[in-house]
Amino acid sequence: MIWDLSHLVESVDSTLIQRELESMVTEAEKVRDKYHGKIVGLDAKGVLELLEMKDAHTLKFEGVNTYCRLMYSADSTDDVAKQLNDAVRRASMRVGQALAFINIELGKLLAEDPSLVTDPVLAEYKHYLERILRRVPHMLSETEERLIIVKDKNGINAWQMLQSDWLSVRTFDIEIEGEIKTLPYGEIIGLYESPDRDLRKRANQIVYEGLGKDEIIWASAIRAVCEDHLQMSKMRKYQTPMIQSLIGNDVDQQTIESLMNTIEKNVGLYQRYLRLKAKVMNLDKLANYDLIAPLPNAPEMDYSWREARKEVVDAYMEFDDETGGWVDEMFEKRHIDGEVRKGKESGAFCADWLAGKSAYILQSFNGKMGDVYTQAHELGHAVHAYLGSRAQKPSNYEIGSCIAETGSIFGELLLTERLLSKAKTKEEKQAILANILDEFGMTAFQVSARVFFEQSMYDAIERGEFLDGEAAAKLWVEARDKIYGDSVDWLDVMRWEWTMKPHYYMANYRFYNYPYVFAQLFVFALYQLYKEQGESFVPKLKRLLAAGSSKSPRELGAELGFDITDETFWEKGMKQAEEFIDMLEETL
Ligand SMILES: [Zn+2]
């Protein structure tokens, strides 16, 4: 259960590792010395040489980079790990500074000579160059860009910091088993998933009542963030407030419109699930504090490390031998850290190791069904890396949020299929289905409410309205009700739910939300295609994952025979969700 990081480096001697990091910086500086100020004069061959050099640099030092970061994730209290983490952060920052000129100068070159994008010599980097070119019209002058960085430091960044600092020092008094406890925000939210319904209700009531009292802080912050974004969008000549995010995520407006239309048309499907979940929980109707609650009669399903490995490997094996083999290799080579211990980073992640054509995974494995799902999820990321690293250079493996979760969510569905086929009781089946449908509902539908809310704030400001706390709360409730209708009872204080969503306040992170909706529905649609096409779908999915970021999501969809700007594609995802909902209904 403990990973072996030694594969990443030639030697684990920390002095030698520090030396490696030094040469990572000096070699990047050599690239800078050779090309800085000269990119505008390059021809196609010259550009190819530069990009290949940049990619070779990434691959050469990727192992040592990853080693230092993972050492620290594994134990942040270890002195050597702390030193290495600090060293790698400083070195990476210097590399970033040294090479920042490349995309800026490439942008200028491509703006002058867009034909380079389609030059056959640069065929492998075509989409990489297209993405750079798409950003060029929105760049301002160097002086203006520098001014923006200075302005943001005490502007947007300061609002973000105020929101997060303020939230993190809030405390809440709550009675638990006859005793009044004072809990910080990070702790009290854990009670939202308590099996005790009354406790869940009180935790929600106390938190949001408390947050509502500070409405003036949250409203000032969110208003500043939104108004700043509107002004900057105009200066940068984005036609709508969403365009900057669309470019960043390599998608277009038509695609996102058709995605969001599909969501709006299918709110009834989600509401049907919520009514069924109420029945399973023996309630007339769900309240907001039941949405992520565990089912009251869910059986305890425990897994040993070995059992979990078998379930997950077999789930992938049933899909494809090669894929299942890679998943097994991740265990065999000890590229997964599952041990629960102090000093280890919480949560789970998969770190790609392109140079080694593999990956590393960290999780804290407690033997619950959720842990097996986490494993299946992160191993899906690993499979993505196995395929991508065999087919792409690093520049073509910068996968945007819409596509990044394809392997991982697909893996969760494979596991679901396997667990369902083995489930012996109806309670087991219900627990498995509720698990996958809760996630689907939260990610596809609840997050859509946040997309509507964000859009409605820009619209309100453009109409000249003043967004105080109550005005923002009203927009939040409207967006929420568009999704939930009357299928859920909300505590009145839930109108303050927007106050704690950190993403709304993050600098340069507007419209972060629809990629989650995209990813969820995209993979459900792919899974439906897999069900329809069987084995012949397997190579198609593998090609899609192997493409990395060398193609846009729209091109990837086209290769599957679909136009993702058309709602027909997204409806396939809804059909998959409907099948799970039907299965749940059959258990009643
Ligand atoms: Zn993921």
Side-chain angles (χ1 to χ4, degrees), residues 183-203:
L183 300 177
Y185 179 74
E187 240 169 86
I188 193 167
I189 59 173
L191 301 176
Y192 296 173
E193 291 181 60
S194 161
D196 177 349
R197 189 167 194 238
D198 177 60
L199 185 59
R200 294 201 299 266
K201 180 181 178 180
R202 284 188 292 118

Side-chain angles (χ1 to χ4, degrees), residues 309-367:
R309 172 176 175 172
K310 183 165 167 36
E311 294 303 343
V312 175
V313 171
D314 286 358
Y316 279 96
M317 273 298 183
E318 278 162 28
F319 174 73
D320 168 55
D321 287 350
E322 188 181 39
T323 309
W326 287 330
V327 168
D328 194 52
E329 183 182 289
M330 287 289 291
F331 284 95
E332 202 54 42
K333 287 194 168 167
R334 290 182 42 222
H335 281 200
I336 310 176
D337 196 87
E339 193 190 43
V340 181
R341 60 175 181 269
K342 250 179 77 187
K344 178 169 167 173
E345 189 176 320
S346 62
F349 65 77
C350 173
D352 301 333
W353 180 30
L354 303 180
K357 301 196 186 328
S358 181
Y360 275 88
I361 287 173
L362 176 141
Q363 76 167 139
S364 289
F365 184 83
N366 286 300

Side-chain angles (χ1 to χ4, degrees), residues 466-530:
F466 183 73
L467 273 191
D468 60 10
E470 288 292 352
K474 189 167 165 272
L475 296 177
W476 174 263
V477 170
E478 277 168 12
R480 183 190 77 194
D481 290 353
K482 208 161 145 180
I483 294 292
Y484 288 91
D486 61 359
S487 63
V488 172
D489 283 330
W490 299 85
L491 294 171
D492 183 51
V493 291
M494 294 311 292
R495 70 184 193 283
W496 301 116
E497 210 179 349
W498 55 275
T499 62
M500 47 57 72
K501 302 273 183 222
H503 299 100
Y504 284 132
Y505 306 87
M506 284 182 192
N508 299 314
Y509 209 42
R510 308 287 55 83
F511 284 110
Y512 75 94
N513 31 37
Y514 67 80
Y516 290 87
V517 183
F518 184 113
Q520 192 74 31
L521 208 53
F522 186 69
V523 181
F524 267 56
L526 295 185
Y527 202 74
Q528 180 63 217
L529 291 177
Y530 172 47

Side-chain angles (χ1 to χ4, degrees), residues 348 377-378 381 404-405 408-409 412:
H377 179 99
E378 299 306 337
H381 284 301
E405 298 298 329
S408 56
I409 303 176
E412 287 185 43

Side-chain angles (χ1 to χ4, degrees), residues 252-269:
D252 51 74
Q253 196 150 356
Q254 265 176 298
T255 300
I256 301 311
E257 270 169 16
S258 113
L259 169 70
M260 298 314 294
N261 285 342
T262 311
I263 292 288
E264 272 197 78
K265 283 184 188 158
N266 284 281
V267 293
L269 181 70

